[in-house]
Amino acid sequence: MNMPLEQKIQEKRSPLRNFRELPIFLFIVGMLIVFSIVIPGFLSARNFVNISRQIAVVGILSMGMTLAILTAGIDLSVGSILSFAISIGGMGIPDGRTIWVVYPLVLGLGLILGLVNGFLITRVAVPAIIITLGTMNIYRGITMIVTQGRYITPIPSQFLYIGRGLTPFLFLLGTVILFIYITLFTRFGRNIYAIGGSEQSAVYSGVPVQKYKIAVYAISGVLSAFAGLIFVGRSGFIQPQAGIGYEMNAIAAVVIGGTSIAGGAGSILGSFLGSVLMGLILAGLTMLSVDPYWQGLVTGILIILAISMDSFRQLRSDRRTL
Amino acid sequence: MIRIDHVSKSFPGVVALDDISFQIDSETVHGLVGENGAGKSTLIKIISGIYTDYEGDIFIDDQRLQINSVHEAQKKGIATIFQELTVVRELTVAENIFLGREPVGFAGALDRAEMERKSQQVLNELNVSFSPRDKVGDLSVANQQIVEISKALVLNTQILIMDEPTSSLTEKEVQNLFSVIHTLKSKGITILYVSHKLEEIFKICDAITVLRDGKHIQTSLKSATTPPDVIRMMVGRSLNMLFPPRTAQKGDLLLSVKDLTRVGEFKDISFEVHAGEIVGFAGLIGSGRTELAKALFGATCPDNGEIKICNQKMKLFCHPREAISQGLVYLSEDRKQEGLILLLSVRENITLPIVKKISKNLFVKRKEEQNIVDSLIEKLKIKVYSRDQVVETLSGGNQQKVVISKLLLTNAKVFIFDEPTRGIDVGAKYEIYKIMNDLTADGKGIVFISSELPEILGISDRIYCMREGSIVKEYTREEANPENVMSVLTGGSSI
Amino acid sequence: MKPGSEQFRSILILILVNVGIILVLSFLSPTFLTYENLLSVLKRMSELGMLAIAETIVFISGGFDLSIGTIMAISGLIAGQMYILGLPFFLCILLALLGGMAAGLMNALFIVKLRLQPFIVTLATMSILRSIVYGVLRGKTLSHFPESYLASGDLTILGLPFLFIVLVIFALLATLFLQRTYVGRQIYAVGGNERSAYLSGISVNRIKYTVYILSGFICACAGLLFSIRIRAVIPDAGLNSPLEVVTAVVIGGTAITGGKGTIAGSLLGVLALFLLTNGFSLLNLNPFWQLVVLGLLLIYVVGREGISKALVGKRLKKKTHQSAAIK
């Protein structure tokens, strides 16, 4: 309408305005300061190695989850893929298979399960939340049936290196950097934002939407399997119940990191910071000898805070009501 | 050169395009005008690759156009800027411009420098001030449009289709857009410019094609025609549409609105509706009629002004419930999104606004509900095989009757009908006019919003013309004729 | 529900599925079709059935509730904990129910006031409430309840377990509520098209409050039934319920997008789930077959329309290609 629009959209922006991760980053710094003051021995190398190992698994899962959520989808099957891949891919371990056989097998299984998700989501045209809820059940069921619920233990030491010391965290960092690169600097990555932001625009512009969606779930599958390898390295055995409930932790990390569940907005860095924050608070509370039982309380409150902040921002800019 | 050769397209029950043939010369700005339903948008959807199923041929430089998607059309040099912009808000300007065909360099990385350099080049050509690195979501609508134009330019577009590009721009932004269009033309691009606004058409176009009721009326050079001519051709519909005679007597004042304003949408709107009156609101898309109706009804909250119903001052409504309880109801222009619950039955839809009233101790009185619904089905002649038929399966006309039934049940005094005949066939239209007639004969008042002049002129007792958020003119039934109303609406009178 | 309607058909299919499962299992296992066995199945499905009723109502309104299982746990906890504190037992039950409703109110507040997505909000409240359950119980279980209360679990009326009868009563009431009352009608309307409902003068927000508080209430009742059945309150009560319930409800023909669904369908979904579990254990099969079957069923039931549409769409596209080629 040709009338002076009083609230003309501001075109100026401060450099910090686009840094969505700033609040959570500050929050982490704040927590670090508080814990360092309150908890003697918190600021020690050993402690940080400890915390970093705890963060790694969910952190890696949250990378794939971020991609799925950015496309306005979700992947509820990450925990199931994790246990499927390590339990079934690791069945050769007692027979003396080495990492050179087992690792590719595990990752390959993750890839296949992820591809199955992707195919179903794009071909059957059912919301990702339903499809992955289904496959989550199916993968978990198959895992329990094939393994008969048995643990694989002991595990040769070559499988444990990946879970020692700073290794898990380095792998997490590597994954984070790789996916920051992919989401910010590659065509695939940028197009993922377009798919989640406006699928129609993406189609009109010739973005191979179906192909990219399949790729997203395939990546999520591989990352789940990879997280599984680290999980095995850390725990020293393979249990078929591994990963139950991890999908919720991964979603929490992603949402706390500022990625919008509606798709199209968010970042890998945010999800990384989200998992760091969750890990940090858990560790801090443990060291404060608060029961680990209360961890969920903190996670829940963080989720509410994170999404409320986004919602407030939106409510303010959008006065139009229903 | 684009040659449209005997193109026809029909949808179930409607012929949208009927054997259209005309030619658009290269390196010109070609205006496409016509009223709502004239077939403009169907035509551009065909050229831009959305509708791939039609009769006839389109030739581009004597080559038959064969495309199956918007993307393929783009590859062949045809780009379209739709009214609903298709930019991705989270991405930067450069990323939007290159979406789907990003230059890729080392290790699969985007060649950002290249993208930004080329984008900057295009933006410079268009003489705009934002940067390729800006996030599109932070830009104004006008600049988002420029991003889409830039996208088309980078694509090596030969033909650019613009659908009502100025509908959400300010005066200054329109001027800016026009200078961009001049630049494009000088670069050898052919532009198909679709608009209602004759003022703009005559300012920017070299040639003008008029469509009416899906038929091609005339294509001529701008120099060979005048705004009054074009208006005549747009509205000069053969009198195949009959309107029921108006019989209602004007009665007491039912609704009076004073200085109603909602910032950014409409301002200082004052008008009156009497019992027995149909008051037409004419205007182009974006003139603020629907926004006004929604604010009156409380679907959005007006900023200030005064509303009186039956001479009683109301507090401005801020929830539809309040308006309904005071006897003011609204029929939305979008019956599927804002009128019906498609998954529910005819019965459940009709009684939705009064379902609480026909309940006792929480429970809906079924017998009473059935009687109410049956009598309405009979009264409005809604064609259903059962009152429990799901409304999704009804035809457009019958769906509209279901929505009207809902309103009738509320015992309202004032009805706002927003495009009540949109997308329904001629026979059903006539029935809806009759319903409106009967309502006024019953002492109700009707606010009638329509983009089709013939029906506004055909059944309104008075007509308010809205333009750019204000009422600019009021006509009585006798004073109004298609030419003078259309020229007020299009700003054609000021040329 | 009218014969020939889509919902009627999906319920018919579910009945057939259940009958099929029963037939197959009674052939395969001699103990399946015994009174004791069926009694135990019906008894066991009571609390999950209750949760399914709650989730169905939420889904119909266009919402999502992940916190159902957790609310179930916390209501049992409240009842148990209050009884230990020495409150009269009826007061404990009242507080448990109020607690469930308060949890629902909390969900609704976030969803309505801040316009947050139900999935994420209830994920958060699930996490918070579960943490409270864990924190209070610390891995222990509570089993101090009045004997008459626990004994009601063994009660049978007309040969049917009392717990199952409670479920049936709730199901009937919920069906009556959804199908016959104006609030029920408005719930379907809000889920079917929130905007149309709003423009029809319905207080959409009030409906959302109603739905989540009601869901909280029903889940709290489920918590009481659960404590009766297992004669205790355990920290992990309802941990996997959201998955099982969502699967059963969606299989039962309720749309995740709202506006469509029936209580009967959801309960038939739950029944299928428990018959499968029971059958697999009777046949000494791995109980986890149930997960696989359910997952496949879920994808098939939701996907069948999409699958056939995809096929039809492809065929149509091919046709237009051909006609274009002929020209």
Side-chain angles (χ1 to χ4, degrees):
Chain A
M1 190 178 339
N2 290 6
M3 57 188 311
L5 289 166
E6 244 124 282
Q7 347 88 300
K8 241 195 84 176
I9 300 152
Q10 242 197 335
E11 294 192 20
K12 270 175 107 184
R13 63 209 170 92
S14 69
L16 279 184
R17 227 197 93 189
N18 265 2
F19 188 44
R20 298 174 70 105
E21 296 83 7
L22 188 66
I24 179 170
F25 184 73
L26 293 178
F27 208 96
I28 290 178
V29 173
M31 289 319 274
L32 275 177
I33 295 173
V34 171
F35 282 147
S36 311
I37 295 171
V38 182
I39 307 169
F42 186 80
L43 267 183
S44 72
R46 231 189 69 195
N47 189 34
F48 277 107
V49 170
N50 239 334
I51 295 175
S52 76
R53 283 172 26 145
Q54 286 162 5
I55 295 170
V57 173
V58 167
I60 289 175
L61 291 179
S62 74
M63 299 294 108
M65 188 68 80
T66 311
L67 297 189
I69 292 181
L70 278 177
T71 64
I74 200 161
D75 188 353
L76 296 178
S77 69
V78 289
S80 292
I81 293 183
L82 183 152
S83 63
F84 188 112
I86 56 171
S87 303
I88 293 177
M91 287 177 97
I93 293 177
D95 303 332
R97 301 271 182 276
T98 64
I99 53 172
W100 304 109
V101 178
V102 172
Y103 278 11
L105 187 62
V106 168
L107 296 176
L109 284 174
L111 176 69
I112 292 169
L113 299 186
L115 280 173
V116 170
N117 283 339
F119 271 114
L120 287 172
I121 288 163
T122 52
R123 294 298 137 93
V124 182
V126 169
I129 184 169
I130 297 283
I131 292 288
T132 55
L133 177 66
T135 55
M136 166 191 197
N137 281 327
I138 297 171
Y139 299 161
R140 171 78 54 197
I142 295 176
T143 309
M144 300 305 285
I145 292 162
V146 172
T147 60
Q148 305 278 348
R150 281 194 288 268
Y151 284 36
I152 299 173
T153 184
I155 298 282
S157 63
Q158 52 174 325
F159 289 96
L160 304 182
Y161 291 122
I162 197 173
R164 289 216 179 119
L166 268 178
T167 323
F169 192 67
L170 290 178
F171 272 115
L172 172 61
L173 273 188
T175 318
V176 169
I177 290 168
L178 175 67
F179 279 95
I180 286 181
Y181 174 76
I182 288 177
T183 51
L184 291 185
F185 299 104
T186 71
R187 180 180 198 167
F188 167 70
R190 298 314 289 164
N191 285 351
I192 284 176
Y193 283 85
I195 293 172
S198 162
E199 189 160 331
Q200 198 194 14
S201 307
V203 172
Y204 280 2
S205 303
V207 174
V209 173
Q210 309 278 31
K211 211 169 87 189
Y212 281 179
K213 274 192 185 172
I214 293 175
V216 162
Y217 290 93
I219 289 174
S220 178
V222 174
L223 286 178
S224 307
F226 182 50
L229 294 177
I230 292 177
F231 186 82
V232 172
R234 249 185 55 200
S235 53
F237 52 82
I238 295 176
Q239 63 179 119
Q241 296 96 334
I244 288 181
Y246 279 22
E247 62 281 344
M248 292 305 171
N249 288 336
I251 294 172
V254 172
V255 171
I256 290 171
T259 295
S260 153
I261 197 87
S267 70
I268 291 286
L269 181 62
S271 304
F272 170 65
L273 293 176
S275 30
V276 169
L277 182 58
M278 280 168 59
L280 204 61
I281 291 181
L282 173 64
L285 292 181
T286 315
M287 295 181 79
L288 284 169
S289 50
V290 174
D291 267 327
Y293 298 127
W294 298 103
Q295 177 209 357
L297 188 76
V298 179
T299 312
I301 290 172
L302 280 180
I303 293 176
I304 295 272
L305 276 180
I307 52 176
S308 304
M309 233 155 45
D310 227 34
S311 169
F312 274 132
R313 218 179 294 150
Q314 220 143 55
L315 286 181
R316 230 183 314 147
S317 71
D318 175 27
R319 80 192 178 109
R320 225 160 279 233
T321 52
L322 245 181
Chain B
M1 186 190 70
I2 313 170
R3 191 154 57 83
I4 317 264
D5 192 19
H6 298 290
V7 168
S8 296
K9 164 93 189 164
S10 36
F11 297 99
V14 204
V15 179
L17 287 180
D18 186 4
D19 200 24
I20 302 273
S21 300
F22 66 95
Q23 186 172 314
I24 300 168
D25 292 326
S26 295
E27 300 178 35
T28 61
V29 180
H30 195 103
L32 184 61
V33 297
E35 283 190 284
N36 265 5
K40 294 171 308 200
S41 49
T42 310
L43 184 61
I44 59 176
K45 279 183 178 160
I46 287 175
I47 305 178
S48 60
I50 293 179
Y51 295 153
T52 54
D53 186 19
Y54 57 92
E55 288 166 46
D57 299 295
I58 294 171
F59 294 95
I60 295 192
D61 296 333
D62 289 325
Q63 235 191 331
R64 193 173 164 273
L65 183 68
Q66 263 183 311
I67 43 173
N68 271 314
S69 68
V70 176
H71 184 48
E72 278 181 41
Q74 288 174 356
K75 280 201 223 154
K76 302 226 159 136
I78 306 168
T80 309
I81 294 165
F82 296 101
Q83 265 184 68
E84 294 289 323
L85 295 179
T86 59
V87 287
V88 180
R89 301 171 57 87
E90 273 298 305
L91 299 186
T92 68
V93 170
E95 283 169 344
N96 264 287
I97 291 177
F98 283 92
L99 182 61
R101 47 174 186 285
E102 297 85 346
V104 176
F106 174 71
L110 293 181
D111 193 343
R112 257 174 212 281
E114 172 77 359
M115 276 164 60
E116 282 168 10
R117 193 178 58 78
K118 280 195 177 161
S119 303
Q120 187 64 59
Q121 219 173 352
V122 173
L123 296 179
N124 286 345
E125 281 172 32
L126 298 180
N127 203 9
V128 286
S129 58
F130 53 89
S131 140
R133 292 184 188 184
D134 286 346
K135 208 199 250 183
V136 166
D138 295 336
L139 299 181
S140 68
V141 175
N143 281 340
Q144 292 183 8
Q145 210 171 44
I146 301 287
V147 172
E148 292 230 41
I149 294 175
S150 314
K151 192 169 162 179
L153 281 183
V154 171
L155 267 169
N156 246 332
T157 293
Q158 295 306 308
I159 298 159
L160 182 65
I161 305 170
M162 305 176 92
D163 186 8
E164 299 280 355
T166 59
S167 58
S168 46
L169 303 191
T170 64
E171 203 63 52
K172 195 166 159 285
E173 289 167 333
V174 171
Q175 293 315 317
N176 193 28
L177 177 72
F178 283 178
S179 70
V180 167
I181 290 178
H182 278 298
T183 316
L184 298 178
K185 194 171 113 181
S186 68
K187 287 168 64 79
I189 292 173
T190 309
I191 293 158
L192 182 56
Y193 188 94
V194 183
S195 177
H196 289 287
K197 299 183 185 169
L198 284 193
E199 191 182 350
E200 293 174 4
I201 291 275
F202 273 85
K203 210 180 249 171
I204 194 85
C205 296
D206 303 303
I208 299 168
T209 290
V210 183
L211 298 184
R212 185 176 74 222
D213 297 335
K215 294 196 177 65
H216 176 245
I217 303 300
Q218 194 191 55
T219 296
S220 62
L221 289 178
K222 177 172 72 179
S223 48
T225 187
T226 61
D229 280 339
V230 172
I231 287 171
R232 237 187 324 276
M233 287 188 280
M234 282 166 69
V235 299
R237 195 176 306 227
S238 49
L239 279 172
N240 58 1
M241 218 172 353
L242 286 172
F243 296 97
R246 300 275 304 128
T247 50
Q249 291 299 308
K250 187 166 166 177
D252 300 337
L253 184 61
L254 283 183
L255 171 71
S256 92
V257 174
K258 244 186 109 189
D259 294 332
L260 197 69
T261 298
R262 184 168 149 88
V263 175
E265 292 186 347
F266 54 84
K267 56 176 187 278
D268 300 335
I269 300 285
S270 304
F271 69 94
E272 290 178 345
V273 180
H274 291 261
E277 245 191 338
I278 297 179
V279 178
F281 273 73
L284 303 178
I285 288 172
S287 57
R289 294 166 304 164
T290 295
E291 289 80 357
L292 168 65
K294 287 201 167 146
L296 263 177
F297 182 57
T300 57
C301 305
D303 291 323
N304 49 54
E306 192 185 277
I307 298 177
K308 281 185 188 167
I309 294 179
C310 295
N311 268 321
Q312 270 202 313
K313 192 167 174 238
M314 299 285 143
K315 97 180 182 10
L316 295 174
F317 304 129
C318 212
H319 191 295
R321 187 183 52 232
E322 299 164 4
I324 293 171
S325 71
Q326 295 298 335
L328 178 80
V329 291
Y330 170 68
L331 177 131
S332 163
E333 57 180 336
D334 185 349
R335 65 176 165 270
K336 287 191 176 154
Q337 294 304 317
E338 304 195 325
L340 298 166
I341 316 273
L342 291 172
L343 291 169
L344 296 188
S345 69
V346 172
R347 170 176 56 87
E348 289 162 321
N349 268 285
I350 288 180
T351 56
L352 195 55
I354 56 147
V355 67
K356 191 172 175 181
K357 265 187 245 154
I358 55 165
S359 300
K360 199 177 145 192
N361 302 329
L362 275 178
F363 285 86
V364 182
K365 290 183 260 180
R366 308 186 76 203
K367 198 72 210 149
E368 188 176 336
E369 181 181 34
Q370 289 171 2
N371 292 340
I372 290 173
V373 171
D374 287 346
S375 74
L376 274 166
I377 289 176
E378 197 187 311
K379 188 173 162 199
L380 299 190
K381 300 191 187 70
I382 308 177
K383 288 192 197 78
V384 289
Y385 60 75
S386 145
R387 65 174 101 82
D388 291 315
Q389 189 175 349
V390 175
V391 287
E392 198 171 13
T393 59
L394 300 181
S395 72
N398 283 309
Q399 286 186 347
Q400 194 66 298
K401 286 183 191 169
V402 170
V403 184
I404 293 175
S405 309
K406 280 172 68 174
L407 306 188
L408 293 184
L409 283 180
T410 57
N411 265 328
K413 302 181 199 84
V414 182
F415 292 74
I416 306 172
F417 281 171
D418 193 353
E419 308 279 4
T421 63
R422 175 176 287 177
I424 64 185
D425 61 55
V426 179
K429 278 185 183 178
Y430 187 82
E431 288 183 73
I432 285 174
Y433 302 141
K434 263 197 72 171
I435 294 169
M436 292 168 65
N437 235 355
D438 293 347
L439 277 174
T440 49
D442 238 22
K444 317 283 189 191
I446 293 179
V447 172
F448 177 44
I449 298 174
S450 172
S451 299
E452 293 186 32
L453 266 195
E455 63 175 20
I456 284 260
L457 295 167
I459 57 168
S460 305
D461 300 311
R462 273 183 305 127
I463 296 166
Y464 290 102
C465 298
M466 274 188 81
R467 193 163 170 243
E468 290 163 20
S470 304
I471 291 181
V472 287
K473 185 99 183 155
E474 180 187 344
Y475 286 110
T476 62
R477 185 182 178 81
E478 291 72 32
E479 292 162 356
N481 62 53
E483 283 79 12
N484 61 17
V485 172
M486 189 51 104
S487 63
V488 168
L489 301 187
T490 54
S493 55
S494 57
I495 299 177
Chain C
M1 205 184 332
K2 306 291 161 302
S5 75
E6 191 192 336
Q7 300 203 328
F8 186 77
R9 243 175 311 161
S10 81
I11 289 203
L12 210 63
I13 291 175
L14 275 165
I15 292 178
L16 290 177
V17 166
N18 277 297
V19 169
I21 296 174
I22 291 172
L23 282 179
V24 171
L25 288 178
S26 42
F27 271 115
L28 294 178
S29 159
T31 43
F32 176 75
L33 214 55
T34 58
Y35 174 68
E36 286 73 25
N37 184 49
L38 292 181
L39 198 72
S40 80
V41 172
L42 295 184
K43 201 167 148 185
R44 257 184 255 150
M45 75 176 272
S46 56
E47 73 271 354
L48 209 68
M50 296 283 279
L51 297 184
I53 293 174
E55 191 73 285
T56 307
I57 298 172
V58 175
F59 271 20
I60 290 173
S61 79
F64 206 108
D65 194 347
L66 280 173
S67 63
I68 45 171
T70 318
I71 296 181
M72 170 169 113
I74 211 154
S75 89
L77 175 71
I78 294 174
Q81 203 70 28
M82 291 299 148
Y83 189 58
I84 289 175
L85 290 180
L87 260 60
F89 193 65
F90 77 92
L91 207 58
C92 302
I93 288 184
L94 195 68
L95 286 174
L97 297 179
L98 283 177
M101 290 162 79
L105 175 66
M106 177 165 81
N107 284 332
L109 276 172
F110 284 122
I111 292 165
V112 170
K113 289 281 174 210
L114 293 177
R115 296 214 208 121
L116 301 178
Q117 262 148 332
F119 180 83
I120 296 294
V121 167
T122 54
L123 173 71
T125 50
M126 171 175 86
S127 176
I128 291 171
L129 296 177
R130 176 67 63 189
S131 156
I132 293 175
V133 174
Y134 283 166
V136 173
L137 284 177
R138 295 163 181 277
K140 295 191 304 274
T141 59
L142 292 183
S143 48
H144 178 58
F145 282 108
E147 196 41 47
S148 59
Y149 172 72
L150 296 177
S152 64
D154 302 324
L155 220 63
T156 58
I157 301 169
L158 297 173
L160 290 169
F162 168 71
L163 298 179
F164 181 69
I165 286 179
V166 172
L167 171 65
V168 170
I169 291 172
F170 266 85
L172 289 176
L173 287 177
T175 304
L176 217 56
F177 172 70
L178 284 173
Q179 307 288 338
R180 293 274 193 270
T181 70
Y182 73 87
V183 184
R185 187 76 61 78
Q186 293 179 339
I187 291 174
Y188 275 98
V190 169
N193 182 340
E194 191 169 325
R195 184 132 185 92
S196 285
Y198 173 76
L199 290 172
S200 300
I202 292 176
S203 306
V204 173
N205 290 348
R206 209 179 296 163
I207 291 295
K208 286 186 180 169
Y209 281 115
T210 310
V211 162
Y212 286 98
I213 292 173
L214 188 63
S215 167
F217 172 76
I218 298 174
C219 296
C221 295
L224 297 178
L225 293 192
F226 188 58
S227 66
I228 293 174
R229 184 167 74 80
I230 66 163
R231 308 181 77 92
V233 173
I234 57 170
D236 278 347
L239 198 59
N240 285 322
S241 306
L243 287 177
E244 294 164 344
V245 166
V246 171
T247 309
V249 167
V250 172
I251 287 175
T254 298
I256 196 167
T257 43
K260 208 171 90 180
T262 56
I263 300 290
S266 301
L267 290 186
L268 285 169
V270 174
L271 180 64
L273 192 150
F274 276 88
L275 287 177
L276 284 175
T277 315
N278 179 249
F280 289 137
S281 81
L282 287 181
L283 296 175
N284 277 327
L285 279 174
N286 194 316
F288 288 97
W289 275 110
Q290 178 214 358
L291 286 182
V292 180
V293 175
L294 277 181
L296 290 173
L297 204 58
L298 175 69
I299 292 176
Y300 171 73
V301 167
V302 183
R304 65 174 179 227
E305 237 170 273
I307 295 168
S308 57
K309 251 184 213 160
L311 291 176
V312 173
K314 251 182 202 161
R315 229 173 288 146
L316 280 182
K317 230 182 188 175
K318 232 175 240 166
K319 256 186 204 159
T320 53
H321 276 290
Q322 281 164 356
S323 65
I326 290 165
K327 270 184 200 162

